[in-house]
Amino acid sequence: MDLKPIDAIPTDDERAAVDHVLAARPPTRDLLLPVLRAIQARVGWISKGALAHACARLHVPPAEAWGVATFYHLLATEPSPRRVLHVCDDVACRARGSAQIAESLAKGASRDDAAWKRSPCLGQCERAPAALLVQAGAPPIERAIGPIDAAIAREAIDGAPPTTPASSGVHQPRESLRLLARVGVVDPESLDDYRAHGGFSALRRAHELGAAWVIREVTDAKLLGRGGAGFPAGRKWAAVAQQPTSTRYVVCNADESEPGTFKDRVLLEEDPFAIVEAIAIAAFAVSAARAFVYVRGEYPLAAARVEHAIAAARRRGLLGDLPIEVRRGAGAYVCGEETALLESLEGRRGEPRSKPPFPVERGLFAAPTVINNVETLAAALLVVRDGAEAFTAIGTAESAGPRLFCLSGDVAHPGVYEAPMGLPLRALIELAGGATQGIAGVLLGGAAGTFVGPDELDLRLTFEDTRRAGTTLGSGVVVVFRDGTDFGAVLHGLAGFFRHESCGQCVPCRVGTAKLDELLARVRAGAPDGSWDDERARLRDLGHVLREASICGLGQSAASAVESAARRFAIWPDVGKREEDR
Amino acid sequence: MAHDGGLVPLRRKVQLTIDGAHVTATEGQTILDVARSLGLDVPTLCFAPNLSPANACRLCVVELEGARTLVPSCARLVEPGMVVTTDSPRVRDARRMVLELLAATVDMQATPRFAEWCARYGARVDRFGAPEARAVVDDNALFVRDYAKCMLCYKCVEACGDDAQHTFAIAVAGRGAHATIATELDTPLPDSACVFCGNCVGVCPTAALQFRAEHELRAAGSWDETKQTRTDTVCPYCGVGCVLTLHVQDDRIVKVTSPSDSAVTHGQLCVKGRFGFEYLGRR
Amino acid sequence: MFGAGGGTSSYREVGETDVILLWGSNARETHPIFFHHVLRALERGARLYAIDPRATPSTRWATRHLAPQLGSDIALANAVAHVLIDEGLIDETFIRRATIGFEALRTAVADASPERTEPVTGVPAPLVRELARDYGRAERAMICWTLGITEHHDAVDNVLSLINLALLTGHVGKWGSGLNPLRGQNNVQGGGDAGALPHKLPGFQDVEDDAVRARFEQAWGASIPPKKGLHLTDQLHAMERGALRALYCLGENPAQSEADAGRVRRLLRGLDHLVVQDLFLTKTAELAHVVLPAAASLGESEGTVTNSERRVQRLRRAISPPAGARDDLWIVCELSKRLGRDLGEPVAERVWDELRALSPMHRGMSYARLEALGGIQWPCPDESHAGTPLLHDRLWAQPREGPPAPFHVLEAEPPAEPLSDDYPLRLTTGRRLDDYNTGVQSRAFPSPRRRAEETIDLAPSALARFGVREGERVIVRSRRGAVEAPVRADPGLPPGLAFLTLHRPEQVDTNLLTIEATDPRAGTAEFKAAAVRIERIAPRPPAEAGE
């Protein structure tokens, strides 16, 4: 290409950061995000000189690299302090007082070398309120902490870096656990320990019985995707395996970013070998040449554990010649959407693609690609190990198998819980020690999900029951809100989240999420633009255009929680009761 | 022997239904192609026949039986048995909202047909607020960038990038409501990779990118497309033979474009063809 | 090619081919929209081989860049031919059916291995072999060239050496395979089509063919000189001899655009009568006895032009010319009237219809059809014919239609002007993106990228060799003249090569340096290779500076 380079010189540190990533590999475009991340990790921000060097090494047009750098909110494109505390400001942490911590920090003195920022959900909801400390350097420090209070947060900004909190473990009887069976039991950094607990027997079985058998078994198990969309995993695998091509990929979607979701993080941190084994099985089943694990940027420990597990398994020869590479996000909720994730993996802005074509036909680098959520792969591992029949014996006819739920908010023991599909919501909350106070409502499925009221707690947690009830399991989020919750504030927070996370590609989402946020600000302030009927009409119209006309699931579900709340709770200042009763 | 074949493989015929009419289309066509061939007036902003679908404005959405949401007709290829409705209440509501959301954030006044569409779909342009003012970026002698009028249709990025020019001087930067079209670090165009082909100007649907003459005439209130003629002729520079469409107002060339269906240019020009006409007035 | 004066392929085929040899062309800058078609091919995975002594924006897109010594194109093409034959990459069936002269070529290039020619071309032999293999094995492949091939004293041989490669491999006359010169000006092709050549009547019909001439004489009601006329270089020679005393010059600026411009100006000044018809009072017009102000082809005139894919397209009038300026056609008709012959109404379509009636290859191209079809590629023999995107598919017909295509045995020749101790540096010329020829038209628009000053571009290592600094003003001198320009270092240039454009003769009158060594068959001078030296402008001693 006849590119024009940026006229700026990198510092030695910036040069070293870029060159380290490219030391032992060809400088391909898809390494742009790893390179930008490396600069950020080493220096704390991406200067003009650093960008110049990244572009020169990767032959990326500077304008495009700038577009990528400004897309991800963990990348700073203006001079930034070396140490930044990202304080979670999202739904689960707010339910536990994160707003007060932020208020307190805002009153403190600012410093040149350290700062704090509000962050969307960090996926540490069982430790709410939580934060992520990032300190640039060689090596950098990246550490999740929680629960925090204002004093801990201040100390994290000003004092010695805090230590990693202990694993939050499992709070339910172990006998019934399958997906979580090894969590808190095996040493996540010991391949021997994993193997002593039956690890890599499923991969061996897959090799013995063949790729076709694996795909049939996963299909027969009726395993539906656990990331939120609920697509049959077996159909995905079969579709990729059937494509007439020699190049196929497997991508593990570990960009768990749905507010209130942290199950995948727990699996990656506590049982990383299982995910690696499952990826190897998927790659074997579809004859993939290469596999990737895309871990969200806010999960340093998960990424490190998986990287370690891949290296250990490779050294032991368990992965054959399959390259599995961990790539990390850099702060973009939308990259949990599968095609946005693929764009990000290719070194571009995480903007979702138009579907069709679906990734099974045209995925990563335009090749057929299996892209599965972490828990889906963990469930597939169970299917291959124990057979489809054992899997379908759990759950209901349409919703087979066990499933992970992320309980947070006003429950006694926030955490990840495994339950057979079909368990009523009330029983699941009981499993977590019950609500701390009377329940005003529950958010199912995360920010992209819906609220249910206290009269809906008998809802059975299956794909079919939630669909009938007009709600969703989503990614297994269950956030409990106690009586007296200011839903106006909760909804405004959710709308602000989508406004912050919209990629900006399509008009309905880019503008619609901003207008939804503005509308909820007016609701909270009790100051309508025109009449409240006008505002209700606006909400209805925004919901319609977001749901019907947005490119991807982010926009399509951006108003769903708000709309569901408007149906159930008294959110409108002019009506003291539910809209549906009027 | 006349050749018109090229490498296009034989395309299958596809039967589908659009607004109740049974039609036979060709594999590889989009719903929009077929709808327009039937004379249906599906509005579009980010679509251009010489660029890959940007799929961003969502104004062209239609209802497709069996689909969970509306689908963009500009990007969706026809499939056998599709049942498409281009003007249902569901579609009209979505289009009305797209128009209202655009009007709330972008100065759409210079966009051809925008007012007509607002009337057609009952869009109230002030319902979600008014756009913020933004300073015009005036950093070169040939064209100005009035980003208050930019609706982020991506066309300029595509034309500058791998749909045509391959210069990659601009890209979308920032995210969400903060997304803009930018050079790296907002470098002025003359210092960027820009080669001033003006292919971005040629595809801009909202007049966010304007020839200097257009900018000056608009500022003076005398830009008047009803008084303009458009005449196709051939560029005088080099032997490629690019078709130039001269936009003339008051016997003066105010803008140069190229037809998107020209086999020579596919609608794209270079700096000389686009801007090199000023010698005519220097005699 | 093979008797038809135009490129064989359509631009669309360029976008759909698999291998492109871009030879002596910086199309990214000089034919930007043609290069879009190359980019379409590259997006599809095609390979581009750029053959150019300079590294340019075009070569940066290339899969491989071959940088031969300036003027060694025939040697390089012969080496490619050697590999094609030696490694069995030729299409023997095609050669047998469609060509003649293969054995002679085979013998001639038998010793021209890339290894043996490397000292002449400077191109590493493995690179030549790679190009040959890729070109030879490709299903579809194109050769495209520009003035890097034709502005040489052996221009025709250069072209024939490329044609050899296409004939060896059968990469001609098939969709996606062909031979394409990119024309430098918007109607170089059309001027030839319409008979603006000294030996041709419209439609490339030979003026010395009595039957042809008879048809035209009948149509025109006048007699046509039975012998071919003079092309530009012949005209200059005739002026030198005193045989040519009057010149009517339309839309040309030879005082600046021709090689060895000092000589040209002297000859023009010596004419008894010089009439110049132009948009501007050019340097040539300044020498004229009569200047006829003309309307521009862009926007002010009606007519047609033909592009590099043989597409005839309409010129249309959109604005009024300045007061006093007249359409070329009107001026010609008016002149004729005053010379005693009425050519009729000066209406472009009427002239075109007359040409169509006399030129079989244009016959089907009515204005209405040109309009409806977005131009038509010749030949187009009748009004039911869609035009001809692809030329010479006759070579693939069985049995072959028309005469076989000949191979040519070609001797590599160095540039006409050798380097010497006095003139040790090779000067080549070319265009930049935002300017055109002598800048008469292009200088009017304020290109943001145009350099403030025209420069003499040298390889960075050459700066040290001549003891000059970047930005320093130097004298560039050839055996014919000298110019002054600031030095600019261009890492894309090889050490022995200097580069100038012709764009701003008011600053740097480049053609004072170039050599009028012309291929008699083409009439194009060797703008691409002169011998020059760099002279420092001695700084004035400080004592004198204040005086």
Side-chain angles (χ1 to χ4, degrees), chain A residues 52-86:
Chain A
H53 189 55
C55 291
R57 290 289 323 262
L58 292 169
H59 305 287
V60 174
E64 285 196 357
W66 176 248
V68 171
T70 53
F71 186 84
Y72 297 93
H73 76 82
L74 291 180
L75 303 178
T77 50
E78 285 172 3
S80 297
R82 274 188 175 261
R83 186 188 286 197
V84 176
L85 185 72
H86 299 267

mmCIF file of all heavy atoms in Angstrom, chain A residues 52-86:
data_model
loop_
_atom_site.group_PDB
_atom_site.id
_atom_site.type_symbol
_atom_site.label_atom_id
_atom_site.label_comp_id
_atom_site.label_asym_id
_atom_site.label_seq_id
_atom_site.Cartn_x
_atom_site.Cartn_y
_atom_site.Cartn_z
ATOM 1 N N ALA A 52 2.413 5.957 15.452
ATOM 2 C CA ALA A 52 3.234 5.968 14.234
ATOM 3 C C ALA A 52 4.012 4.665 14.101
ATOM 4 O O ALA A 52 4.047 4.052 13.025
ATOM 5 C CB ALA A 52 4.190 7.158 14.262
ATOM 6 N N HIS A 53 4.607 4.241 15.202
ATOM 7 C CA HIS A 53 5.411 3.028 15.140
ATOM 8 C C HIS A 53 4.537 1.791 14.915
ATOM 9 O O HIS A 53 4.890 0.904 14.121
ATOM 10 C CB HIS A 53 6.226 2.882 16.437
ATOM 11 C CG HIS A 53 7.232 1.787 16.372
ATOM 12 N ND1 HIS A 53 8.193 1.705 15.384
ATOM 13 C CD2 HIS A 53 7.425 0.705 17.178
ATOM 14 C CE1 HIS A 53 8.928 0.619 15.576
ATOM 15 N NE2 HIS A 53 8.488 -0.002 16.652
ATOM 16 N N ALA A 54 3.394 1.751 15.592
ATOM 17 C CA ALA A 54 2.477 0.619 15.401
ATOM 18 C C ALA A 54 2.042 0.539 13.937
ATOM 19 O O ALA A 54 2.038 -0.543 13.338
ATOM 20 C CB ALA A 54 1.260 0.777 16.318
ATOM 21 N N CYS A 55 1.692 1.678 13.361
ATOM 22 C CA CYS A 55 1.229 1.692 11.964
ATOM 23 C C CYS A 55 2.348 1.279 11.011
ATOM 24 O O CYS A 55 2.115 0.546 10.057
ATOM 25 C CB CYS A 55 0.732 3.086 11.581
ATOM 26 S SG CYS A 55 -0.792 3.531 12.406
ATOM 27 N N ALA A 56 3.538 1.770 11.284
ATOM 28 C CA ALA A 56 4.656 1.460 10.398
ATOM 29 C C ALA A 56 4.973 -0.037 10.437
ATOM 30 O O ALA A 56 5.182 -0.659 9.399
ATOM 31 C CB ALA A 56 5.881 2.280 10.802
ATOM 32 N N ARG A 57 4.959 -0.601 11.645
ATOM 33 C CA ARG A 57 5.292 -2.028 11.740
ATOM 34 C C ARG A 57 4.212 -2.907 11.112
ATOM 35 O O ARG A 57 4.501 -3.950 10.548
ATOM 36 C CB ARG A 57 5.498 -2.441 13.206
ATOM 37 C CG ARG A 57 6.741 -1.904 13.895
ATOM 38 C CD ARG A 57 8.059 -2.528 13.405
ATOM 39 N NE ARG A 57 8.036 -3.930 13.066
ATOM 40 C CZ ARG A 57 8.423 -4.921 13.851
ATOM 41 N NH1 ARG A 57 8.880 -4.664 15.062
ATOM 42 N NH2 ARG A 57 8.388 -6.176 13.449
ATOM 43 N N LEU A 58 2.950 -2.496 11.272
ATOM 44 C CA LEU A 58 1.852 -3.363 10.836
ATOM 45 C C LEU A 58 1.306 -2.993 9.452
ATOM 46 O O LEU A 58 0.396 -3.643 8.954
ATOM 47 C CB LEU A 58 0.707 -3.298 11.849
ATOM 48 C CG LEU A 58 1.004 -3.910 13.214
ATOM 49 C CD1 LEU A 58 -0.089 -3.542 14.208
ATOM 50 C CD2 LEU A 58 1.125 -5.425 13.103
ATOM 51 N N HIS A 59 1.843 -1.923 8.846
ATOM 52 C CA HIS A 59 1.310 -1.424 7.577
ATOM 53 C C HIS A 59 -0.181 -1.134 7.676
ATOM 54 O O HIS A 59 -0.961 -1.473 6.778
ATOM 55 C CB HIS A 59 1.576 -2.414 6.433
ATOM 56 C CG HIS A 59 3.008 -2.771 6.289
ATOM 57 N ND1 HIS A 59 3.936 -1.897 5.777
ATOM 58 C CD2 HIS A 59 3.689 -3.876 6.643
ATOM 59 C CE1 HIS A 59 5.126 -2.470 5.808
ATOM 60 N NE2 HIS A 59 5.004 -3.667 6.334
ATOM 61 N N VAL A 60 -0.567 -0.533 8.751
ATOM 62 C CA VAL A 60 -1.968 -0.149 8.923
ATOM 63 C C VAL A 60 -2.083 1.345 8.646
ATOM 64 O O VAL A 60 -1.259 2.127 9.119
ATOM 65 C CB VAL A 60 -2.444 -0.459 10.359
ATOM 66 C CG1 VAL A 60 -3.858 0.065 10.582
ATOM 67 C CG2 VAL A 60 -2.388 -1.949 10.622
ATOM 68 N N PRO A 61 -3.088 1.738 7.867
ATOM 69 C CA PRO A 61 -3.274 3.170 7.639
ATOM 70 C C PRO A 61 -3.493 3.889 8.977
ATOM 71 O O PRO A 61 -4.300 3.448 9.791
ATOM 72 C CB PRO A 61 -4.546 3.237 6.781
ATOM 73 C CG PRO A 61 -4.667 1.892 6.157
ATOM 74 C CD PRO A 61 -4.063 0.919 7.127
ATOM 75 N N PRO A 62 -2.786 4.998 9.195
ATOM 76 C CA PRO A 62 -2.900 5.691 10.479
ATOM 77 C C PRO A 62 -4.333 6.054 10.868
ATOM 78 O O PRO A 62 -4.700 5.926 12.041
ATOM 79 C CB PRO A 62 -2.041 6.938 10.269
ATOM 80 C CG PRO A 62 -1.000 6.502 9.295
ATOM 81 C CD PRO A 62 -1.701 5.559 8.372
ATOM 82 N N ALA A 63 -5.125 6.480 9.902
ATOM 83 C CA ALA A 63 -6.500 6.862 10.251
ATOM 84 C C ALA A 63 -7.267 5.659 10.792
ATOM 85 O O ALA A 63 -8.051 5.775 11.740
ATOM 86 C CB ALA A 63 -7.216 7.453 9.036
ATOM 87 N N GLU A 64 -7.036 4.493 10.202
ATOM 88 C CA GLU A 64 -7.731 3.300 10.689
ATOM 89 C C GLU A 64 -7.250 2.920 12.082
ATOM 90 O O GLU A 64 -8.033 2.525 12.943
ATOM 91 C CB GLU A 64 -7.518 2.130 9.722
ATOM 92 C CG GLU A 64 -8.347 2.273 8.469
ATOM 93 C CD GLU A 64 -8.451 0.958 7.693
ATOM 94 O OE1 GLU A 64 -7.833 -0.046 8.113
ATOM 95 O OE2 GLU A 64 -9.144 0.967 6.681
ATOM 96 N N ALA A 65 -5.961 3.011 12.298
ATOM 97 C CA ALA A 65 -5.433 2.673 13.620
ATOM 98 C C ALA A 65 -5.984 3.638 14.675
ATOM 99 O O ALA A 65 -6.298 3.238 15.796
ATOM 100 C CB ALA A 65 -3.905 2.726 13.603
ATOM 101 N N TRP A 66 -6.104 4.890 14.287
ATOM 102 C CA TRP A 66 -6.687 5.880 15.190
ATOM 103 C C TRP A 66 -8.147 5.518 15.491
ATOM 104 O O TRP A 66 -8.611 5.605 16.623
ATOM 105 C CB TRP A 66 -6.587 7.268 14.546
ATOM 106 C CG TRP A 66 -7.217 8.381 15.309
ATOM 107 C CD1 TRP A 66 -8.327 9.090 14.953
ATOM 108 C CD2 TRP A 66 -6.777 8.940 16.562
ATOM 109 N NE1 TRP A 66 -8.593 10.043 15.893
ATOM 110 C CE2 TRP A 66 -7.671 9.982 16.886
ATOM 111 C CE3 TRP A 66 -5.717 8.647 17.420
ATOM 112 C CZ2 TRP A 66 -7.534 10.740 18.049
ATOM 113 C CZ3 TRP A 66 -5.582 9.407 18.578
ATOM 114 C CH2 TRP A 66 -6.486 10.438 18.883
ATOM 115 N N GLY A 67 -8.860 5.098 14.457
ATOM 116 C CA GLY A 67 -10.242 4.665 14.652
ATOM 117 C C GLY A 67 -10.338 3.509 15.629
ATOM 118 O O GLY A 67 -11.253 3.451 16.454
ATOM 119 N N VAL A 68 -9.388 2.598 15.550
ATOM 120 C CA VAL A 68 -9.395 1.448 16.457
ATOM 121 C C VAL A 68 -9.018 1.898 17.876
ATOM 122 O O VAL A 68 -9.665 1.535 18.860
ATOM 123 C CB VAL A 68 -8.431 0.354 15.945
ATOM 124 C CG1 VAL A 68 -8.266 -0.755 16.977
ATOM 125 C CG2 VAL A 68 -8.944 -0.217 14.628
ATOM 126 N N ALA A 69 -7.979 2.719 17.965
ATOM 127 C CA ALA A 69 -7.507 3.136 19.286
ATOM 128 C C ALA A 69 -8.574 3.913 20.048
ATOM 129 O O ALA A 69 -8.672 3.817 21.272
ATOM 130 C CB ALA A 69 -6.241 3.987 19.147
ATOM 131 N N THR A 70 -9.378 4.684 19.327
ATOM 132 C CA THR A 70 -10.386 5.502 19.996
ATOM 133 C C THR A 70 -11.686 4.738 20.243
ATOM 134 O O THR A 70 -12.631 5.286 20.790
ATOM 135 C CB THR A 70 -10.715 6.765 19.162
ATOM 136 O OG1 THR A 70 -11.058 6.356 17.834
ATOM 137 C CG2 THR A 70 -9.521 7.710 19.115
ATOM 138 N N PHE A 71 -11.717 3.488 19.820
ATOM 139 C CA PHE A 71 -12.944 2.696 19.974
ATOM 140 C C PHE A 71 -13.029 2.041 21.356
ATOM 141 O O PHE A 71 -14.103 1.891 21.915
ATOM 142 C CB PHE A 71 -12.988 1.618 18.884
ATOM 143 C CG PHE A 71 -14.274 0.841 18.850
ATOM 144 C CD1 PHE A 71 -15.374 1.341 18.174
ATOM 145 C CD2 PHE A 71 -14.389 -0.386 19.496
ATOM 146 C CE1 PHE A 71 -16.571 0.632 18.137
ATOM 147 C CE2 PHE A 71 -15.580 -1.093 19.459
ATOM 148 C CZ PHE A 71 -16.675 -0.590 18.780
ATOM 149 N N TYR A 72 -11.888 1.644 21.878
ATOM 150 C CA TYR A 72 -11.871 0.799 23.083
ATOM 151 C C TYR A 72 -11.588 1.662 24.308
ATOM 152 O O TYR A 72 -10.596 2.390 24.330
ATOM 153 C CB TYR A 72 -10.803 -0.282 22.933
ATOM 154 C CG TYR A 72 -11.101 -1.219 21.784
ATOM 155 C CD1 TYR A 72 -10.573 -0.998 20.518
ATOM 156 C CD2 TYR A 72 -11.937 -2.321 21.961
ATOM 157 C CE1 TYR A 72 -10.860 -1.848 19.459
ATOM 158 C CE2 TYR A 72 -12.228 -3.176 20.914
ATOM 159 C CZ TYR A 72 -11.687 -2.937 19.664
ATOM 160 O OH TYR A 72 -11.984 -3.782 18.627
ATOM 161 N N HIS A 73 -12.430 1.578 25.337
ATOM 162 C CA HIS A 73 -12.285 2.585 26.373
ATOM 163 C C HIS A 73 -11.162 2.263 27.354
ATOM 164 O O HIS A 73 -10.808 3.102 28.170
ATOM 165 C CB HIS A 73 -13.618 2.878 27.067
ATOM 166 C CG HIS A 73 -14.071 1.844 28.034
ATOM 167 N ND1 HIS A 73 -13.600 1.791 29.318
ATOM 168 C CD2 HIS A 73 -14.950 0.838 27.909
ATOM 169 C CE1 HIS A 73 -14.174 0.782 29.938
ATOM 170 N NE2 HIS A 73 -14.983 0.190 29.110
ATOM 171 N N LEU A 74 -10.547 1.074 27.261
ATOM 172 C CA LEU A 74 -9.354 0.841 28.083
ATOM 173 C C LEU A 74 -8.086 1.367 27.406
ATOM 174 O O LEU A 74 -7.001 1.292 27.968
ATOM 175 C CB LEU A 74 -9.183 -0.648 28.397
ATOM 176 C CG LEU A 74 -10.228 -1.268 29.336
ATOM 177 C CD1 LEU A 74 -9.947 -2.738 29.556
ATOM 178 C CD2 LEU A 74 -10.293 -0.527 30.662
ATOM 179 N N LEU A 75 -8.229 1.880 26.199
ATOM 180 C CA LEU A 75 -7.089 2.504 25.531
ATOM 181 C C LEU A 75 -7.247 4.021 25.646
ATOM 182 O O LEU A 75 -8.303 4.559 25.331
ATOM 183 C CB LEU A 75 -7.042 2.121 24.047
ATOM 184 C CG LEU A 75 -6.991 0.627 23.738
ATOM 185 C CD1 LEU A 75 -6.994 0.412 22.218
ATOM 186 C CD2 LEU A 75 -5.757 -0.021 24.357
ATOM 187 N N ALA A 76 -6.206 4.678 26.132
ATOM 188 C CA ALA A 76 -6.251 6.134 26.260
ATOM 189 C C ALA A 76 -5.501 6.751 25.095
ATOM 190 O O ALA A 76 -4.404 6.304 24.753
ATOM 191 C CB ALA A 76 -5.625 6.576 27.577
ATOM 192 N N THR A 77 -6.087 7.752 24.478
ATOM 193 C CA THR A 77 -5.412 8.409 23.361
ATOM 194 C C THR A 77 -5.010 9.839 23.728
ATOM 195 O O THR A 77 -4.635 10.620 22.873
ATOM 196 C CB THR A 77 -6.305 8.420 22.107
ATOM 197 O OG1 THR A 77 -7.596 8.912 22.462
ATOM 198 C CG2 THR A 77 -6.450 7.030 21.548
ATOM 199 N N GLU A 78 -5.109 10.134 25.008
ATOM 200 C CA GLU A 78 -4.559 11.392 25.511
ATOM 201 C C GLU A 78 -3.674 11.050 26.702
ATOM 202 O O GLU A 78 -3.868 9.999 27.323
ATOM 203 C CB GLU A 78 -5.687 12.326 25.946
ATOM 204 C CG GLU A 78 -6.395 12.929 24.754
ATOM 205 C CD GLU A 78 -7.637 13.717 25.134
ATOM 206 O OE1 GLU A 78 -7.911 13.843 26.351
ATOM 207 O OE2 GLU A 78 -8.305 14.192 24.215
ATOM 208 N N PRO A 79 -2.721 11.918 27.021
ATOM 209 C CA PRO A 79 -1.825 11.604 28.141
ATOM 210 C C PRO A 79 -2.626 11.228 29.375
ATOM 211 O O PRO A 79 -3.584 11.916 29.737
ATOM 212 C CB PRO A 79 -1.061 12.920 28.353
ATOM 213 C CG PRO A 79 -1.104 13.594 27.028
ATOM 214 C CD PRO A 79 -2.414 13.211 26.399
ATOM 215 N N SER A 80 -2.268 10.112 29.997
ATOM 216 C CA SER A 80 -3.029 9.594 31.132
ATOM 217 C C SER A 80 -2.079 9.176 32.231
ATOM 218 O O SER A 80 -0.932 8.816 31.963
ATOM 219 C CB SER A 80 -3.851 8.372 30.705
ATOM 220 O OG SER A 80 -4.788 8.735 29.734
ATOM 221 N N PRO A 81 -2.566 9.198 33.465
ATOM 222 C CA PRO A 81 -1.733 8.731 34.574
ATOM 223 C C PRO A 81 -1.386 7.261 34.401
ATOM 224 O O PRO A 81 -2.135 6.502 33.783
ATOM 225 C CB PRO A 81 -2.624 8.934 35.804
ATOM 226 C CG PRO A 81 -3.741 9.786 35.362
ATOM 227 C CD PRO A 81 -3.889 9.621 33.898
ATOM 228 N N ARG A 82 -0.246 6.889 34.977
ATOM 229 C CA ARG A 82 0.164 5.484 34.860
ATOM 230 C C ARG A 82 -0.793 4.560 35.592
ATOM 231 O O ARG A 82 -1.022 3.434 35.183
ATOM 232 C CB ARG A 82 1.562 5.302 35.462
ATOM 233 C CG ARG A 82 2.641 5.601 34.460
ATOM 234 C CD ARG A 82 4.014 5.243 34.943
ATOM 235 N NE ARG A 82 4.934 5.478 33.826
ATOM 236 C CZ ARG A 82 5.389 4.518 33.019
ATOM 237 N NH1 ARG A 82 5.066 3.268 33.221
ATOM 238 N NH2 ARG A 82 6.194 4.804 32.023
ATOM 239 N N ARG A 83 -1.318 5.044 36.700
ATOM 240 C CA ARG A 83 -2.193 4.160 37.479
ATOM 241 C C ARG A 83 -3.629 4.666 37.399
ATOM 242 O O ARG A 83 -3.890 5.846 37.616
ATOM 243 C CB ARG A 83 -1.755 4.131 38.931
ATOM 244 C CG ARG A 83 -2.544 3.122 39.754
ATOM 245 C CD ARG A 83 -2.253 3.215 41.228
ATOM 246 N NE ARG A 83 -0.944 2.673 41.575
ATOM 247 C CZ ARG A 83 -0.615 2.358 42.834
ATOM 248 N NH1 ARG A 83 -1.459 2.522 43.831
ATOM 249 N NH2 ARG A 83 0.591 1.887 43.097
ATOM 250 N N VAL A 84 -4.528 3.758 37.047
ATOM 251 C CA VAL A 84 -5.942 4.133 36.965
ATOM 252 C C VAL A 84 -6.766 3.069 37.692
ATOM 253 O O VAL A 84 -6.596 1.867 37.457
ATOM 254 C CB VAL A 84 -6.425 4.248 35.502
ATOM 255 C CG1 VAL A 84 -7.921 4.544 35.454
ATOM 256 C CG2 VAL A 84 -5.650 5.339 34.754
ATOM 257 N N LEU A 85 -7.614 3.526 38.584
ATOM 258 C CA LEU A 85 -8.558 2.613 39.234
ATOM 259 C C LEU A 85 -9.898 2.743 38.524
ATOM 260 O O LEU A 85 -10.502 3.818 38.492
ATOM 261 C CB LEU A 85 -8.712 2.958 40.725
ATOM 262 C CG LEU A 85 -9.590 1.965 41.496
ATOM 263 C CD1 LEU A 85 -8.872 0.630 41.684
ATOM 264 C CD2 LEU A 85 -10.011 2.543 42.846
ATOM 265 N N HIS A 86 -10.333 1.646 37.916
ATOM 266 C CA HIS A 86 -11.627 1.626 37.229
ATOM 267 C C HIS A 86 -12.670 1.161 38.238
ATOM 268 O O HIS A 86 -12.669 0.000 38.648
ATOM 269 C CB HIS A 86 -11.584 0.692 36.030
ATOM 270 C CG HIS A 86 -10.578 1.105 34.996
ATOM 271 N ND1 HIS A 86 -10.897 1.891 33.924
ATOM 272 C CD2 HIS A 86 -9.234 0.875 34.898
ATOM 273 C CE1 HIS A 86 -9.809 2.115 33.186
ATOM 274 N NE2 HIS A 86 -8.795 1.506 33.758
#
